[in-house]
């Protein structure tokens, strides 16, 4: 089987992204780190050529926090291609905007917890 997780050529980029997390990512990470959600969640996790914001391996769940850059047509098309690739490995993707994290964190955490509890075989 070909290795797809945390490819060595992207290691420095993953470190850089962890050092430069946005305010919404930091806020969410403080609520996800450790096993607060009942499973281990990693930040800036590599899957193939892509680096996802947060990843729970046991639930095969990717959590993305999107800033306004994701509103452009080109970025939406890129995200669609990226999502299709990630989903082809059986991953589920939850997307939240920066504003959702900043203004309605409790709902974001509720949706993440619900997605973790819903096993992939139930999808």
């Amino acid at each position: 089987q070909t290795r797809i997780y945390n490819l060595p050529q992207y290691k420095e980029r993953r470190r850089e992204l962890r050092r430069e997390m946005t305010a919404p990512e930091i806020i969410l990470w403080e609520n996800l780190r450790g096993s607060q959600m009942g499973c281990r969640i990693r930040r800036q996790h590599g899957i193939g050529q892509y680096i996802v914001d947060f990843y729970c391996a046991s639930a095969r769940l990717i959590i993305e926090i999107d800033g306004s850059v994701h509103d452009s047509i080109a970025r939406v098309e890129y995200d669609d291609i990226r999502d299709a690739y990630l989903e082809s490995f059986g991953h589920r993707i939850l997307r939240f905007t920066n504003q959702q994290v900043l203004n309605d964190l409790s709902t974001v955490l509720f949706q993440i917890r619900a997605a973790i509890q819903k096993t992939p075989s139930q999808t």
Side-chain angles (χ1 to χ4, degrees), residues 52-99:
V52 302
D53 292 336
F54 303 100
Y55 179 63
C56 176
S58 62
R60 302 189 69 74
L61 180 67
I62 293 166
I63 303 159
E64 291 288 308
I65 309 303
D66 295 341
S68 58
V69 68
H70 290 267
D71 295 339
S72 74
I73 292 171
R75 188 57 193 236
V76 168
E77 290 172 357
Y78 171 86
D79 285 344
D80 287 346
I81 292 166
R82 181 180 187 267
D83 289 355
Y85 173 84
L86 297 168
E87 289 168 346
S88 75
F89 292 100
H91 299 111
R92 296 173 296 144
I93 302 166
L94 279 182
R95 287 189 173 279
F96 300 101
T97 65
N98 284 345
Q99 293 310 311

Side-chain angles (χ1 to χ4, degrees), residues 1-120:
Q1 180 178 353
T2 305
R3 177 179 174 175
I4 64 164
Y5 297 102
N6 289 326
L7 297 174
Q9 63 265 40
Y10 302 110
K11 183 175 187 174
E12 188 51 43
R13 180 67 181 139
R14 291 190 305 272
R15 282 183 175 161
E16 185 180 307
L17 288 169
R18 282 192 292 272
R19 283 192 302 265
E20 299 171 3
M21 290 173 68
T22 65
E25 288 173 339
I26 291 167
I27 290 166
L28 189 57
W29 177 239
E30 289 302 317
N31 288 274
L32 299 178
R33 67 186 312 164
S35 294
Q36 296 180 68
M37 289 287 163
C39 66
R40 180 170 180 224
I41 296 179
R42 297 173 176 99
R43 62 187 172 137
Q44 307 303 338
H45 187 76
I47 302 175
Q49 70 191 44
Y50 301 107
I51 300 172
V52 302
D53 292 336
F54 303 100
Y55 179 63
C56 176
S58 62
R60 302 189 69 74
L61 180 67
I62 293 166
I63 303 159
E64 291 288 308
I65 309 303
D66 295 341
S68 58
V69 68
H70 290 267
D71 295 339
S72 74
I73 292 171
R75 188 57 193 236
V76 168
E77 290 172 357
Y78 171 86
D79 285 344
D80 287 346
I81 292 166
R82 181 180 187 267
D83 289 355
Y85 173 84
L86 297 168
E87 289 168 346
S88 75
F89 292 100
H91 299 111
R92 296 173 296 144
I93 302 166
L94 279 182
R95 287 189 173 279
F96 300 101
T97 65
N98 284 345
Q99 293 310 311
Q100 285 175 290
V101 173
L102 294 172
N103 299 326
D104 196 7
L105 182 61
S106 61
T107 299
V108 169
L109 294 173
F110 178 83
Q111 291 177 354
I112 293 169
R113 190 171 283 109
I116 288 170
Q117 291 171 353
K118 182 179 181 183
T119 61

